[in-house]
Amino acid sequence: MRRKPVLSHSPLLFPTIPAIVVSILVPAFFSQVQAQTLKVSETLASPLDAENRGSSAQTLKADQLQQIDPFSFEEDTALRQKSKQDKKEERDKQKEKQKDADKVAPTVVQSERMFGRPDRYAHFEDNVEIVKGSTTLTADKASYLYLEDQVEAEGNVRIRKQGDCFNSDTAQMRLDSGVGNVVRADYHLLESNAQGKATKIDFLDTERSIVHEGTYSTCNGLDPDWYLRADTLNLDSGLDTGIAGKSVLYFMGTPILATPTLTFPLSGARHSGFLPPTIGASTVGGAEFGLPYYYNIAPNRDLTLYPKIISRRGLQLGADMRYLGETYRGETSLEGLSADKLTNTSRYALTSSHQQLLTPALNLTWDINIASDDNYPSDFSNSITKTSQRLLPRNINATYSGAFWNLSVLASNYQVLQDLNDPIVRPYDRLPQIQFHAEQHDVMGFDWAFDSSLTRFWHPTFVRGDRLVLNPQLSMPFIQPGYFITPKLQLHVNSYQLVRQDPGYPSDFTKVVPTFSVDSGMVFERQSTLFGRDVTQTLEPRLFYVRTPNVNQDAVPLFDSAKADFNFAQIFSENRFSGQDLVGDSNQITAALVSRYIEMDGEERLKLAIGQRFYFNSQKVTTDDTIPSSRSDLLLAATGQVTRSLGLDLGLQVSQSSRQSVKSNYGIRWQPEPKKVLNLAYRFQRDELEEVDVSGQWPIGKRWYAVARSNYSLMDRKVVDGLVGFEYKADCWALRFVAQRFAIDSLNNNTGFSIQLELGGLGKLGVGNDPIEALKRNISGYQPITER
């Protein structure tokens, strides 16, 4: 039977009453501990012309090289949580089996001396040991009452129950039910590695206990760095919950938090309740205070409510709903202010994503993003990922798949968040787009494919209309050991029905463009060495010829076409334009040479490549007035994980007319071991971009780590994005200090800082937003110091 999927969790909860601050050293030392986000949808690629993105988009593109894909990262987090849940369920099953076995297990007693009355009581002295199933009791003296089935022990009493250990002066316990108590005791819980002391502990059954006037900590030793002191601690291993009444949290002997009641998980599971308050500040909004509430609806559904007071703006209300099933998953977030004190307007933002398998062949997805105004993300941003997004997609898509074909229906448009200093062009809406794709391989030696689409394009100011695209393709691959040759023939048919067409051009017309291509290559191998390691080196020459006749396309509107970015992937494509509107006339050949260094286990260590395109005709289909030369720019690249510690990604585009670098990207990562990484990147695009990006995580002393990132623009002579901080890792806690500066638009920046104290097994306290998320998104290869 399949188990229900589970969402990630939040480890520290305030269930009914807000926290009261009693900090001595730090008057307000709190932090945000939110349920971990499970992003469940991938944003569809924008058809926006790359040339219209502007410098802000260039900054975004450069920054993405340092970011971890949120979807993949959070998917990995979800898989980890699923694995933990599976392990917990397995442990729960073992516990149930053990409980059943304990009920019928015999009671075995050993001691140096014993006396008593048959069927009434028995008294044992000297090295007493009583065993019943998984429960073991040792003491100096003990008495067993037959009628009550109860043991009374005194003197160096030690009780072990399913791995948990209790030491006390005296104890009473019913062996069958587990009911009893210990006095003046200390305890250690196996699953959470928690320990503490108490004046008395009452055992309500085998899973529940009440600790009176006790302490709780996951630190080892007699003098723990942090501990929770409470009048009562209700510990329930069955529900995996601890509830502290009238409790005070101590760190390094100093009280930092007091609360009338506090709920926490015993093994990291999630529970309903108030999350710790969030306190922070930014240069845009001023001081902020929030008190989120987390509602654990079900193992696969939850809701987080997060009211927040922003000093310069007012009260912001928000909610985030997540759900996850066998055939569906999704997340919806809504936040806003009824009256922003700075703008005197109502402001809001909505994000909703959903994926669902309606049938084994039918899949439905949507991705909806709405903001009340252009400045909402920048005014309420706490990370570069929000401020950089200037196109908010709104898509709904249904796909039906067959054995060798699929049919999809898409409706999409975009909300453009304009920056007055750097405006961008609004993309076309697709209302709707119907796409069909089919392909089969090795049909009597041929490979065939057929693509078609019917799209209605809408724009408030540009030409609109319907476009039908038909694109049949037929190829005959000849593949042998050491070489391949693949001739290919395709036909690109476009039919348009336009509204508001430019004067002098037809509104209804059809364009037919044939294309012939031949892809060929050879592979040579030899044994070699790379940094002292035996490898196989390859030499792979490749030639790619394309012939496309010139067809007049002056009347064609540019719904989704633009000049494609020039790179190694593009030089081996038939069309030099992206999208479906334009098909470039071609009589050209691409020559490339690739060399790979492959280890004996098949892992590619290094790849070197050089390539160039040669033109035999003067290209007439263009999007600008530039006159192409007889050959393209020269491309050079080197990528790979050269050693276990060193990785590189180098790319260079050199102009064949000016002999100057047009575009270059150099990136090096050195990661000799976990939690030690250094990244260096240089990005250059002539007259548009020149940046140096340095980031890293590195130990600087015993238990101390430094973290930093600087993305510096050499053209503007300023730091575009920056981050610096320190982390300290103790045995049972960690401390982080992080300051961050990032651009919210082309002229303005936001600055914030975070201080976070992570208490192992209890939660995270501090000031500002979660620094771990900022570190993961800014430092490629970063690993939290608390991870093993």
Side-chain angles (χ1 to χ4, degrees), residues 720-767:
V720 179
D721 306 302
L723 178 148
V724 64
F726 298 93
E727 298 180 289
Y728 180 81
K729 173 67 173 70
D731 293 331
C732 58
W733 58 273
L735 187 64
R736 300 178 179 90
F737 303 87
V738 175
Q740 185 178 11
R741 179 179 184 270
F742 52 89
I744 57 178
D745 54 40
S746 59
L747 298 178
N748 301 306
N749 297 282
N750 194 5
T751 302
F753 70 94
S754 302
I755 304 174
Q756 184 183 81
L757 174 64
E758 181 177 350
L759 304 177
L762 191 68
K764 302 171 185 175
L765 308 172
V767 176

Side-chain angles (χ1 to χ4, degrees), residues 12 36 124 171 255 274 375 381 449 482 502 517 553 558 604 620-621 645 680 744 752 778 783:
L12 177 61
Q36 298 175 5
F124 309 93
F274 282 99
N375 298 320
S381 65
D502 294 338
S517 65
Q553 301 175 55
L558 299 184
E604 183 179 288
K620 297 180 176 59
V621 180
S645 304
L680 174 63
I744 57 178
N778 282 274
Q783 293 176 288

Side-chain angles (χ1 to χ4, degrees), residues 265-455:
L266 298 180
S267 65
R270 58 196 182 95
H271 303 283
S272 298
F274 282 99
L275 300 171
T278 65
I279 297 178
S282 68
T283 55
V284 177
E288 300 178 359
F289 175 83
L291 185 63
Y293 182 84
Y294 179 77
Y295 181 30
N296 182 25
I297 302 172
N300 59 336
R301 292 188 297 277
D302 63 13
L303 173 67
T304 304
L305 305 174
Y306 45 97
K308 180 187 292 185
I309 297 176
I310 305 174
S311 61
R312 297 178 185 173
R313 297 192 178 276
L315 176 63
Q316 182 187 51
L317 300 177
D320 182 80
M321 173 71 181
R322 304 184 304 172
Y323 50 90
L324 182 65
E326 295 291 346
T327 60
Y328 63 89
R329 56 182 178 175
E331 180 178 4
T332 297
S333 299
L334 175 64
E335 64 180 30
L337 298 85
S338 59
D340 188 328
K341 292 189 293 185
L342 292 181
T343 63
N344 295 319
T345 59
S346 297
R347 309 182 70 185
Y348 61 88
L350 169 68
T351 299
S352 179
S353 57
H354 179 85
Q355 297 180 12
Q356 184 165 1
L357 194 63
L358 300 176
T359 70
L362 181 59
N363 185 49
L364 173 68
T365 64
W366 72 65
D367 182 19
I368 311 258
N369 299 271
I370 301 173
S372 59
D373 54 84
D374 292 340
N375 298 320
Y376 187 93
S378 59
D379 287 347
F380 299 96
S381 65
N382 54 28
S383 70
I384 190 173
T385 55
K386 290 186 177 181
T387 58
S388 299
Q389 189 174 8
R390 299 177 60 189
L391 287 175
L392 302 184
R394 304 167 185 175
N395 306 316
I396 182 168
N397 184 45
T399 303
Y400 189 88
S401 300
F404 59 91
W405 58 272
N406 62 71
L407 176 69
S408 65
V409 180
L410 167 70
S412 74
N413 70 353
Y414 293 86
Q415 179 181 356
V416 181
L417 304 182
Q418 291 288 9
D419 180 356
L420 296 180
N421 300 300
D422 183 23
I424 58 177
V425 177
R426 185 187 192 279
Y428 274 92
D429 299 341
R430 303 171 187 234
L431 303 172
Q433 181 178 69
I434 303 173
Q435 293 180 301
F436 177 81
H437 171 77
E439 67 175 294
Q440 282 187 306
H441 298 278
D442 197 16
V443 180
M444 296 185 295
F446 290 90
D447 294 347
W448 67 268
F450 180 79
D451 290 284
S452 66
S453 65
L454 177 60
T455 310

